[in-house]
């Protein structure tokens, strides 16, 4: 009988190359020497961790690696090739080149320009570079110091990512203009840097696009506010289209939206100022970019009457698959049965609508009818949409929609959001909702009022016939439910087409979310997570990863009436192994709090209580912060509670910590990868306490690595 060893090496190489999971590849390499050689030969990407001064730990068997990530070497945030930590920085650079001779793609923490200079000398043939720095750019550095050596020595450079680099906007344009050959070869340029307060000015964007005419991917943070000098408007949009006609991916994003802070659900969606972007300019802009496949315009200022311009996307940008719009109004009016606006973009696979003040249920339904290939849909800050419209849209897109984000919509709290996506609960794989529990007292559906799963949409464009808009019910028109949809032959939603296991718990239907693997939650400070199962997420057998973002100001808040936030309730999900707990936007007192209030250490105890009941393998944790002293630090209670996660293998703490607090973590038996990252702006330059000092990190790593780990 033939065995796997009988398969030719060429075929085995293709099989090995298709495996992306690192632990699976490591396991395969232990099977036999042949498998080890095949695995090493097909490993093209590698991320190094560990202490940079341990030269003997640099692996020498991955000579086929083309993408090398050095941004996570410890001590994290310190200069990689600094003489203060290494006796001979050039020796480390040389050893890296010898170990990885085939590198063409590099990611590195560039604390200083000297780090970039030494590394590009080792790999002058670099094609792709990502620079990372969360610490401030020093004022004494010359303009463009980070980029001069990179563009002068890497003549083959075609891909540059500066989205995680703290620099000045005036650093880049002069260097691009001074190196015309390399600039002309760039096809990807990412300038979505979250450290910017104002972003690139209009003139900067014109200079960059003029210097890089062959760009295919361009992502830039800018300012659309007409009250500021250098705002982006009609002229800039047309300049981008004229200078870079080959663009397939374009992101123009207002800097304020990069913070990803939840807005006010009561906001009507209209700002006090209008962006200087007209409908005629949008039409011309789309006409000049025929190769667009992905477009993001997050303006944060009113762009009105955009429906006609968006209709042109379908004819002018026929390859468009991803579209994200922020503060666009009139995207789909849905006044009559004929489709209009964005609903005519039938080729879209991903759509995000943010802060659209006039988007209604009828607009959602029209989008569901017209954009029949949507696999991902995001809606944020749209006050006029309701559960009925979103639910109907989910029914229309049942065959394709697998990722949904619902955020900051006044009429869509947690329970309403889950009821709205109920028609695809057996198919959805990725979901974000806001944990607003206002609707838990409302039944929504009851035994006597079930929403029919088989209803037609022959007259879906006529609002008077679509819903029975009674004051008390959520029912769809019973006459409509007996008709068959004429828009799609595949639209059959009878009770036999999918089976949902339901149990009535406090008036809600608890569905089984068969394929849900990723869950993202937003929750306000001092709110509890415990109502989540009651809202409808009781049974998620395949849920593997969850992200929880806690946001708000703790100062002035009373002490919570419960001892724990509710993480222990997540133990009902049997496959949950990865968690991101982001309390970075939770503001409080890091030092002594005023009388009658809790400091951040007590809030951390509240949020982490019960985390030891979960079987987590990976955890990313952002501690709460005190902005007045620029401190985001792990406290003693949180260190003790994290030490109760007995199955953790990876722990990334996005903040600082005292060395003796970190020693609590050595009690976790299989913990192998721990890192402190000050990846928030501005990262503290120096700290006279025991926090984040290089020697402290080294001592902790030595204690961690000295333990015997069974696997």
């Amino acid at each position: 009988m033939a065995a796997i060893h009988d398969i030719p090496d060429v075929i085995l190489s293709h099989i090995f190359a298709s495996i992306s999971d690192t632990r699976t590849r490591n396991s395969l390499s232990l099977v036999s020497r042949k498998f080890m050689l095949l695995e090493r030969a097909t490993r093209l990407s590698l991320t190094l961790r560990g202490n940079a001064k341990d030269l003997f730990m640099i692996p020498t068997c991955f000579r086929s690696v083309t993408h090398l990530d050095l941004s996570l070497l410890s001590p994290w945030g310190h200069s990689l090739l600094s003489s203060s930590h290494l006796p001979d920085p050039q020796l480390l650079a040389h050893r890296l080149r010898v170990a990885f001779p085939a590198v063409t793609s590099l990611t590195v923490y560039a604390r200083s320009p000297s780090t970039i200079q030494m590394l590009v000398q080792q790999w002058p043939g670099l094609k792709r570079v990502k620079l990372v720095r969360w610490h401030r750019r020093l004022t004494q550095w010359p303009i463009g110091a980070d980029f001069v050596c990179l563009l002068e020595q890497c003549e083959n450079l075609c891909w540059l990512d500066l989205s995680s680099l703290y620099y000045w906007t005036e650093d880049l344009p002069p260097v691009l203009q001074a190196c015309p050959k390399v600039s002309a070869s760039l096809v990807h340029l990412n300038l979505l840097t979250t450290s910017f307060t104002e972003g690139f000015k209009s003139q900067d964007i014109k200079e960059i696009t003029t210097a890089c005419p062959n760009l295919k991917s361009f992502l830039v943070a800018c300012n659309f506010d007409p009250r500021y000098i250098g705002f982006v408007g009609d002229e800039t949009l047309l300049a981008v289209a004229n200078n870079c006609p080959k663009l397939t991916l374009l992101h123009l994003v207002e800097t304020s939206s990069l913070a990803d802070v939840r807005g006010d659900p009561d906001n009507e969606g209209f700002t006090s100022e209008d962006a200087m972007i007209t409908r005629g300019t949008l039409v011309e802009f789309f006409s000049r970019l025929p190769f667009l496949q992905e477009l993001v315009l997050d303006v944060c200022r009113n762009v009105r009457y955009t429906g006609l311009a968006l209709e042109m996307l379908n004819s002018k940008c026929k390859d468009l698959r991803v579209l994200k719009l922020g503060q666009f109004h009139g995207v789909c009016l849905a006044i009559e049965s004929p489709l209009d606006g964005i609903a005519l973009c039938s080729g879209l696979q991903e759509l995000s609508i943010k802060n659209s003040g006039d988007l209604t249920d009828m607009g959602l339904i029209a989008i569901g009818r017209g954009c029949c290939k949507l696999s991902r849909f995001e809606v944020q800050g749209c006050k006029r949409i309701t559960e009925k419209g979103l639910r109907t849209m989910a029914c229309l897109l049942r065959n394709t929609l697998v990722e949904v984000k619902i955020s900051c919509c006044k009429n869509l709290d947690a329970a309403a959001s889950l009821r709205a996506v109920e028609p695809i609960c057996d198919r959805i794989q990725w979901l974000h909702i806001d944990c607003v529990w206002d609707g838990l007292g409302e039944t929504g559906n009851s035994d006597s009022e079930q929403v029919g799963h088989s209803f037609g949409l022959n007259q879906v464009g006529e609002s008077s016939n679509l819903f029975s808009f009674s004051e008390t019910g959520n029912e769809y028109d019973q006459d409509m439910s007996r008709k068959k949809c004429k828009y799609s032959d595949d639209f059959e939603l009878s009770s036999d087409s999918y089976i949902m296991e339901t149990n009535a718990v406090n008036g809600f239907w608890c569905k089984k979310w068969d394929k849900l693997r990723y869950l993202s939650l937003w929750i306000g400070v001092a709110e509890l997570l415990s109502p989540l199962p009651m809202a409808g997420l009781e049974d998620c057998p395949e849920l593997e990863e969850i992200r929880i973002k806690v946001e708000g100001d703790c100062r002035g808040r009373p002490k919570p009436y419960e001892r724990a936030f509710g993480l222990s309730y997540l133990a009902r999900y049997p496959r949950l192994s990865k968690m991101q707990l982001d309390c970075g936007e939770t503001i409080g007192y890091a030092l002594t709090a005023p009388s009658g209030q809790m400091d951040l250490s007590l809030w951390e105890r509240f949020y982490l209580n019960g985390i030891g009941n979960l079987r987590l393998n990976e955890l990313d944790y952002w501690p709460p912060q005190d902005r007045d002293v620029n401190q985001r630090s792990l406290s003693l209670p949180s260190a003790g509670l994290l030490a109760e996660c007995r199955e953790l293998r990876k722990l990334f703490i996005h903040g600082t910590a005292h060395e003796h607090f970190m020693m609590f973590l050595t009690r976790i038996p299989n913990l192998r990868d721990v890192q402190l990252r000050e990846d928030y702006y501005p990262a503290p330059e120096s700290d006279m306490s025991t926090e984040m000092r290089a020697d402290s990190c080294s001592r902790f790593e030595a204690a961690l690595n000295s333990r015997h780990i069974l696997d």
Side-chain angles (χ1 to χ4, degrees), residues 235-507:
E235 184 182 353
T236 312
L237 290 184
L238 295 179
V240 170
N242 287 331
N243 295 336
C244 304
K246 300 178 183 178
L247 283 172
T248 60
L249 183 150
L250 177 61
H251 291 200
L252 297 174
V253 180
E254 170 79 23
T255 52
S256 59
S257 69
L258 295 176
D260 194 27
V261 177
R262 187 175 185 263
D264 181 6
D266 293 320
N267 193 305
E268 295 293 338
F270 295 93
T271 58
S272 58
E273 298 287 336
D274 287 359
M276 299 299 289
I277 299 176
T278 61
R279 182 172 59 185
T281 297
L282 285 175
V283 172
E284 189 174 355
F285 176 69
F286 298 148
S287 301
R288 297 182 185 183
L289 295 173
F291 304 112
L292 270 183
Q293 299 177 12
E294 180 173 334
L295 175 63
V296 176
L297 293 174
D298 196 348
V299 180
C300 293
R301 299 293 180 275
N302 298 322
V303 184
R304 302 177 186 269
Y305 315 115
T306 60
L308 180 61
L310 294 175
E311 290 178 8
M312 302 299 294
L313 275 174
N314 191 43
S315 58
K316 302 300 182 181
C317 306
K318 296 184 178 180
D319 296 329
L320 191 68
R321 297 293 178 264
V322 180
L323 180 62
K324 299 183 179 181
L325 303 173
Q327 218 72 43
F328 274 55
H329 308 298
V331 295
C332 185
L333 299 178
I335 297 175
E336 302 262 343
S337 294
L339 299 177
D340 70 287
I342 203 173
L344 292 175
C345 300
S346 57
L348 286 180
Q349 297 175 2
E350 298 184 20
L351 176 61
S352 175
I353 302 176
K354 179 180 177 182
N355 297 333
S356 182
D358 53 6
L359 182 67
T360 63
D361 286 343
M362 300 310 301
L364 287 182
I365 296 168
I367 292 172
R369 290 169 51 204
C371 305
C372 55
K373 298 180 181 178
L374 281 183
S375 61
R376 181 184 179 95
F377 179 68
E378 299 180 4
V379 61
Q380 182 174 346
C382 298
K383 185 178 180 179
R384 299 180 64 184
I385 64 173
T386 68
E387 172 191 340
K388 295 179 179 181
L390 191 57
R391 182 185 177 93
T392 306
M393 182 187 188
C395 290
L396 287 164
L397 297 172
R398 171 171 164 73
N399 292 330
T400 59
L401 193 61
V402 293
E403 298 183 11
V404 177
K405 178 178 179 178
I406 308 166
S407 179
C408 199
C409 297
K410 182 175 178 60
N411 299 314
L412 291 167
D413 55 29
S417 298
L418 292 173
R419 290 196 299 265
V421 297
E422 178 186 327
I424 57 172
C425 71
D426 60 331
R427 297 178 54 88
I428 193 168
Q429 301 174 14
W430 192 103
L431 177 64
H432 171 92
I433 61 171
D434 292 346
C435 294
V436 179
W437 310 123
D438 296 343
L440 284 180
E442 303 172 6
T443 59
N445 305 329
S446 64
D447 293 331
S448 61
E449 286 185 305
Q450 285 194 357
V451 177
H453 296 307
S454 57
F455 55 90
L457 296 173
N458 278 16
Q459 302 174 12
V460 72
E462 304 175 16
S463 60
S464 59
N465 292 332
L466 179 64
F467 299 127
S468 57
F469 282 101
S470 64
E471 295 181 355
T472 57
N474 275 345
E475 284 194 4
Y476 297 98
D477 194 310
Q478 295 299 320
D479 293 335
M480 295 296 294
S481 68
R482 300 187 185 96
K483 298 179 181 179
K484 185 173 182 179
C485 175
K486 70 178 181 181
Y487 297 105
S488 171
D489 294 334
D490 298 328
F491 188 67
E492 288 287 345
L493 294 177
S494 65
S495 58
D496 294 333
S497 65
Y498 65 106
I499 298 174
M500 299 182 179
E501 300 177 7
T502 60
N503 295 305
V505 178
N506 294 334

Side-chain angles (χ1 to χ4, degrees), residues 121-313:
Q121 290 174 355
Q122 309 302 322
W123 296 291
L126 285 174
K127 297 180 179 179
R128 300 162 64 99
V129 173
K130 178 176 181 178
L131 302 180
V132 181
R133 180 171 65 229
W134 298 90
H135 292 81
R136 290 186 184 275
R137 175 203 187 281
L138 298 185
T139 56
Q140 58 264 34
W141 294 344
I143 293 295
D146 289 312
F147 312 123
V148 171
C149 58
L150 180 63
L151 269 68
E152 285 182 349
Q153 299 188 37
C154 299
E155 296 183 354
N156 297 325
L157 189 68
C158 63
W159 195 95
L160 182 59
D161 187 345
L162 306 178
S163 59
S164 298
L165 183 75
Y166 195 117
Y167 65 104
W168 296 345
T169 55
E170 55 265 35
D171 281 328
L172 187 60
V175 181
L176 291 174
Q177 293 173 329
C179 304
K181 182 179 178 181
V182 177
S183 300
S185 67
L186 286 176
V187 296
H188 178 96
L189 184 59
N190 189 344
L191 307 178
L192 284 179
T193 309
T194 55
S195 64
F196 292 153
T197 55
E198 296 183 6
F200 283 93
K201 291 181 170 58
S202 175
Q203 185 61 32
D204 296 332
I205 295 175
K206 293 176 185 177
E207 293 175 358
I208 291 171
T209 53
T210 301
C212 309
N214 296 310
L215 283 177
K216 294 184 178 180
S217 301
F218 184 43
L219 305 89
V220 61
C222 49
N223 194 336
F224 291 93
D225 192 338
R227 297 173 297 178
Y228 286 79
I229 297 175
F231 70 90
V232 172
D234 287 344
E235 184 182 353
T236 312
L237 290 184
L238 295 179
V240 170
N242 287 331
N243 295 336
C244 304
K246 300 178 183 178
L247 283 172
T248 60
L249 183 150
L250 177 61
H251 291 200
L252 297 174
V253 180
E254 170 79 23
T255 52
S256 59
S257 69
L258 295 176
D260 194 27
V261 177
R262 187 175 185 263
D264 181 6
D266 293 320
N267 193 305
E268 295 293 338
F270 295 93
T271 58
S272 58
E273 298 287 336
D274 287 359
M276 299 299 289
I277 299 176
T278 61
R279 182 172 59 185
T281 297
L282 285 175
V283 172
E284 189 174 355
F285 176 69
F286 298 148
S287 301
R288 297 182 185 183
L289 295 173
F291 304 112
L292 270 183
Q293 299 177 12
E294 180 173 334
L295 175 63
V296 176
L297 293 174
D298 196 348
V299 180
C300 293
R301 299 293 180 275
N302 298 322
V303 184
R304 302 177 186 269
Y305 315 115
T306 60
L308 180 61
L310 294 175
E311 290 178 8
M312 302 299 294
L313 275 174

Side-chain angles (χ1 to χ4, degrees), residues 46-49 67-73 105-108:
L46 189 68
T47 300
L48 288 186
R49 293 193 178 96
H67 173 70
L68 183 62
D69 188 346
L70 303 176
S71 64
L72 302 181
L73 286 175
S105 175
L106 179 67
T107 301
V108 61

Side-chain angles (χ1 to χ4, degrees), residues 435 437 522-531 549-566 583 585-587 598 602-604 606-607:
C435 294
W437 310 123
W522 176 94
I523 189 166
V525 69
E527 295 289 334
L528 299 178
L529 191 64
S530 49
K549 183 170 184 177
V550 184
E551 188 178 315
D553 196 337
C554 298
R555 296 170 295 188
R557 293 270 182 172
K559 182 178 180 180
Y561 60 88
E562 295 283 352
R563 293 183 62 253
F565 170 55
C583 300
E585 294 298 328
T586 303
I587 314 301
M598 293 167 44
L602 298 180
W603 281 107
E604 279 197 278
F606 168 72
Y607 282 113

Side-chain angles (χ1 to χ4, degrees), residues 628-685:
D628 293 338
V629 296
N630 190 32
Q631 184 172 346
R632 183 183 293 172
S633 181
L634 195 71
S635 64
L636 176 60
S638 58
L641 289 168
L642 290 175
E644 296 179 2
C645 300
R646 311 301 291 175
E647 298 189 19
L648 266 187
R649 296 183 62 87
K650 292 183 180 180
L651 174 60
F652 299 148
I653 300 171
H654 301 261
T656 63
H658 290 274
E659 179 183 350
H660 55 283
F661 291 172
M662 294 295 293
M663 288 301 177
F664 280 76
L665 304 178
T666 58
R667 303 174 184 176
I668 304 176
N670 291 321
L671 188 63
R672 301 192 60 167
D673 194 357
V674 183
Q675 198 160 66
L676 291 174
R677 301 181 190 169
E678 300 173 57
D679 49 358
Y680 53 95
Y681 293 110
E685 284 293 337

